[in-house]
């Protein structure tokens, strides 16, 4: 039972990290950032490349993953998002371009490193910690620790800093935020780069825990998106709750139906969330009809 | 010659898929990334009907269409009021769940190894084995599908679809029920995709989950977007470009072991470039109203 709780906690931590990364972009820029799945993979492979050069330096690997993710985020902003924004593209345009970027990233990774599964050198440094009959690895402990630290930092940053207020203002109304002197474009760029750097580090941690392969990012993105949409982007506490719910659902579902259906179970949870929220959307529509 | 006939078969199958998806994307403004799921449902149902139930190909194809439509109706009934990103995410969920079922329900689909040995279709005693005869069958099916799609998207019903794309609230105010229309059109498109799937199974003689994954959905969507959604010739042009372009790469001398990745990278880049430079003509709302 305790082991099941530990498994739920580990999955919830990964879900929370990806959810924070995804919702940082989704909340501010208002588009479904598919490419984040590719950035997670790119972060993992950057760490793999760094560890091939300096095998016993996990800190350098973390920097490599964050830097790789961040640089990819900046590249996407400059080459894809900014031109789309200048042309006044709708959210669907951003979504399609992001889908294209995801395909380009994962296939570029496959082209450079191949399709085969690889093991990070840092995984050998990981060892099992046993406590009260619960066994978790040091990498998994790092995932839980980073998730907790990220949640606390995000909560403090959003609630008590000027940058957090700027984020909230742009997410609420970008035009009005510009009127009061907030550089909305800068906020967009910072959100994208911060989200991408975090995604890169998540990629490294999951790769160190499991393995590295080009298909690593998409299931993680789906997990994070489910947690983010179960909660509410911009509210850290609801993201934590969302990550907890999706993790419990996924682990219980895997227990009943088998591990191979984990991804499908996550998607069914997301689908159920969307269907339940339909009532809210319908109510909003009815209100608009009445106003009309 | 056989190679050209094979290309014609592939073009016909993708023409059905792209035209049916265009009804959703171009005419009703619903971005779907689940089209390959219904394509796969059609392929698997037709395969199982032919191999397990020993049904003739025509009956198997009809059964595939019916199952595709019923499944789509069951999924879209509660999703009819979803819009924009929520609807895209819902279609993504459907695609991922379908892919997972194709791979993991080994008792039914034989998992990742797929199902082999599907016999070629026989109609009125004539066997459609080989690309020559099958090109005629798939070409006819494509013409019927394009004609049906054109009829659906023109006239009063077509105008209703365009109105839903422009503003669902206005359609509601006019006393119409956009949710019902959405379900009907989603089912119609799913039925056509299932028909394409049954043709694919009959032609290739082998179905496996890799043919019906998310990337396949993105490829079909790319055909619609690159060609230009909302017309007859746009999606067909997209099909021509995205089917023939990778074939042209064979003659450039790219090594076979990296050809798949290079092709996918080019698809991705094309999708990005077209979205940046032609997004306004394709997906932005207000196009029909301005006309």
């Amino acid at each position: 039972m305790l082991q099941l709780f530990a498994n739920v906690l580990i999955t919830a931590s990964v879900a929370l990290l990806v959810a924070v990364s995804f919702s940082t972009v989704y909340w501010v820029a208002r588009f479904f950032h598919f490419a984040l799945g590719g950035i997670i993979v790119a972060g993992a492979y950057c760490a793999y490349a760094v560890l091939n050069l300096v095998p016993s330096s996990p800190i350098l690997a973390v920097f490599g993953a964050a830097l790789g993710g961040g640089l990819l985020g900046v590249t996407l902003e400059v080459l894809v998002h900014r031109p789309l924004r200048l042309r006044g593209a709708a959210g669907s345009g951003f979504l399609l371009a992001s889908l294209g970027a995801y395909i380009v990233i994962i296939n570029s990774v496959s082209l450079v490193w191949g399709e085969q599964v690889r093991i990070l050198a840092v995984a050998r440094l990981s060892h099992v910690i046993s406590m009260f009959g619960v066994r978790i690895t040091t990498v998994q402990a790092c995932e839980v620790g980073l998730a907790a630290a990220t949640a606390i930092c995000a909560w403090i940053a959003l609630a008590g800093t000027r940058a957090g207020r700027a984020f909230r203002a742009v997410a609420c109304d970008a035009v009005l935020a510009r009127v009061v002197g907030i550089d909305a474009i800068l906020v967009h760029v910072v959100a994208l780069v911060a989200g991408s750097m975090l995604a890169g580090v998540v990629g490294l941690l999951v790769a160190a825990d499991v393995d590295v392969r080009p298909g690593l990012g998409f299931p993680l993105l789906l997990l994070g998106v489910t947690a983010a949409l179960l909660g509410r982007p911009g509210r850290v506490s609801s993201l934590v709750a969302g990550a907890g719910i999706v993790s419990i659902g996924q682990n219980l579902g895997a227990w009943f139906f088998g591990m191979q259906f984990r991804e499908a179970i996550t998607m069914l949870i997301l689908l159920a969330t969307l269907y339940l929220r339909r009532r809210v959307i319908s109510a909003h529509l009815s209100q608009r009809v009445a106003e009309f | 010659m056989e190679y050209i006939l094979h290309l014609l078969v592939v073009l016909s199958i993708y023409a059905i898929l792209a035209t049916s998806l265009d009804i959703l994307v171009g005419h009703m403004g619903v971005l779907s990334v689940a089209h390959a799921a219904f394509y796969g449902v059609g392929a698997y149902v037709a395969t199982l009907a032919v191999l397990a139930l020993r049904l003739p190909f025509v009956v198997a194809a009809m059964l595939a269409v019916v199952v595709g439509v019923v499944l789509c109706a069951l999924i879209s009934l509660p999703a009819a009021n979803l819009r924009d990103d929520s609807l895209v995410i819902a279609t993504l969920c459907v695609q991922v769940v379908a892919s997972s079922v194709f791979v993991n329900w080994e008792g039914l689909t034989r998992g990742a190894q797929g199902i082999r040995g599907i016999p070629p279709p026989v109609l009125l005693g004539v066997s459609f084995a080989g690309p020559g005869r099958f090109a005629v069958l798939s070409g006819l099916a494509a013409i019927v599908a394009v004609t049906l799609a054109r009829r659906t998207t023109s006239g009063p019903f077509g105008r209703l679809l365009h109105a839903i794309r422009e503003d669902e609230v206005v359609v509601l105010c006019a006393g119409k029920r956009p949710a019902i229309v959405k379900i009907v059109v989603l089912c119609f498109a799913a039925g056509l995709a299932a028909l394409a799937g049954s043709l694919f199974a009959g032609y290739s003689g082998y179905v496996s989950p890799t043919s019906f994954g998310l990337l396949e959905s993105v490829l079909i969507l790319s055909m619609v977007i690159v060609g230009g959604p909302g017309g007859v010739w746009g999606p067909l042009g997209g099909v021509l470009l995205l089917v023939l372009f990778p074939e042209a790469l064979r003659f450039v001398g790219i090594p076979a072991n990296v050809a798949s990745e290079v092709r996918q990278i080019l698809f991705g880049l094309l999708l990005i470039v077209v979205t940046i430079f032609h997004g306004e003509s394709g997906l932005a709302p207000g196009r029909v109203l301005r006309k």
Side-chain angles (χ1 to χ4, degrees), chain A residues 22 26 30-32 34 79-80 83-84 87-104 106-108 110-111 115 218 222 225 229 260-265 267-268 270-271 274-275 277-278 281-282 284-286 288-289 292, chain B residues 31 33 74-83 85-94 96-97 100-101 104-105 167-170 172-173 214-215 218 221-222 225 258 260-262 264-269 271-272 275-278 280 283-285:
Chain A
F22 172 79
Y26 187 71
R30 295 274 168 206
F31 75 93
F32 194 98
F34 261 112
L79 297 180
V80 182
L84 279 169
R87 286 170 180 269
S92 52
F94 279 91
L95 187 144
L96 277 174
S98 191
L99 201 54
Y102 169 74
I103 293 170
V104 172
I106 57 161
N107 282 288
S108 303
S110 291
L111 205 60
E115 286 278 349
F218 196 66
L222 295 180
V225 168
L229 295 181
Q260 71 272 28
F261 286 107
R262 242 167 39 150
E263 221 172 276
I265 291 161
M267 286 298 89
L268 288 174
L270 181 53
L271 209 53
L274 292 171
Y275 285 173
R277 283 193 173 177
R278 175 176 69 104
I281 296 164
S282 302
H284 175 67
L285 257 180
S286 309
R288 276 192 65 196
V289 171
F292 194 84
Chain B
L31 212 61
V33 285
L74 288 176
I75 295 163
S76 55
L77 268 172
N81 284 326
L82 296 179
R83 297 196 303 165
D85 282 358
S86 300
L87 194 52
V88 182
I89 297 166
T91 63
L92 175 71
C93 294
V94 171
V96 174
V97 171
S100 180
V101 169
N104 296 313
W105 194 353
D167 198 329
E168 225 173 298
V169 177
V170 174
L172 262 175
C173 292
L214 178 67
L215 286 180
V218 176
L221 184 62
S222 305
I225 302 297
V258 296
S260 165
E261 280 87 4
V262 171
Q264 294 285 349
I265 289 170
L266 290 172
F267 281 160
L269 287 175
L271 190 58
I272 294 171
T275 310
I276 290 174
F277 291 102
H278 288 282
E280 185 65 19
L283 292 165

Side-chain angles (χ1 to χ4, degrees), chain A residues 35-84:
Chain A
L36 216 53
I39 294 172
I40 291 172
V41 177
Y45 275 95
C46 284
Y48 175 78
V50 169
L51 286 166
N52 274 353
L53 292 173
V54 195
S56 57
S57 181
I59 303 292
L60 267 183
V62 173
F63 276 112
L67 193 68
L71 282 176
L72 206 50
V74 172
T75 310
L76 285 178
E77 167 62 23
V78 172
L79 297 180
V80 182
H81 300 143
R82 190 172 291 173
L84 279 169

Side-chain angles (χ1 to χ4, degrees), chain B residues 3 244-256 258-259 262 266:
Chain B
Y3 175 65
L244 297 184
F245 182 55
E247 295 300 324
L249 286 179
R250 286 170 190 247
F251 304 105
V252 179
I254 294 172
V258 296
V262 171
L266 290 172

Side-chain angles (χ1 to χ4, degrees), chain B residues 98-168:
Chain B
S99 297
S100 180
V101 169
F102 294 153
V103 175
N104 296 313
W105 194 353
E106 294 200 347
L108 191 73
T109 63
R110 291 190 204 162
Q113 59 180 326
I115 305 174
R116 291 175 194 280
I118 307 160
V122 179
L123 296 177
L124 303 168
V126 180
S127 170
F128 286 85
R133 287 184 175 180
F134 205 94
V136 177
L137 180 69
S138 58
L140 279 173
I143 290 168
V144 170
V146 171
T147 311
L148 276 174
R150 184 156 168 69
R151 280 189 164 270
T152 310
T153 54
S154 56
F157 191 74
R159 285 197 292 278
L160 182 57
L161 295 186
H162 297 159
I164 290 171
R165 182 183 64 190
E166 303 306 334
D167 198 329
E168 225 173 298

Side-chain angles (χ1 to χ4, degrees), chain A residues 57-163:
Chain A
S57 181
I59 303 292
L60 267 183
V62 173
F63 276 112
L67 193 68
L71 282 176
L72 206 50
V74 172
T75 310
L76 285 178
E77 167 62 23
V78 172
L79 297 180
V80 182
H81 300 143
R82 190 172 291 173
L84 279 169
R85 212 178 293 124
L86 288 174
R87 286 170 180 269
S92 52
F94 279 91
L95 187 144
L96 277 174
S98 191
L99 201 54
Y102 169 74
I103 293 170
V104 172
I105 294 167
I106 57 161
N107 282 288
S108 303
V109 164
S110 291
L111 205 60
V112 176
W113 282 286
E115 286 278 349
Q116 65 267 44
V117 172
R118 290 167 191 274
I119 304 293
L120 281 190
V122 74
R124 290 184 208 112
L125 301 176
S126 174
H127 58 270
V128 177
I129 307 166
S130 288
M131 207 186 292
F132 308 114
V134 176
R135 290 161 63 88
I136 65 166
T137 63
T138 43
V139 172
Q140 288 168 340
C142 286
E143 284 170 0
V144 176
L146 182 66
T150 305
I152 292 166
C153 290
W155 181 68
I156 291 170
L158 284 176
T161 66
R162 210 173 151 180

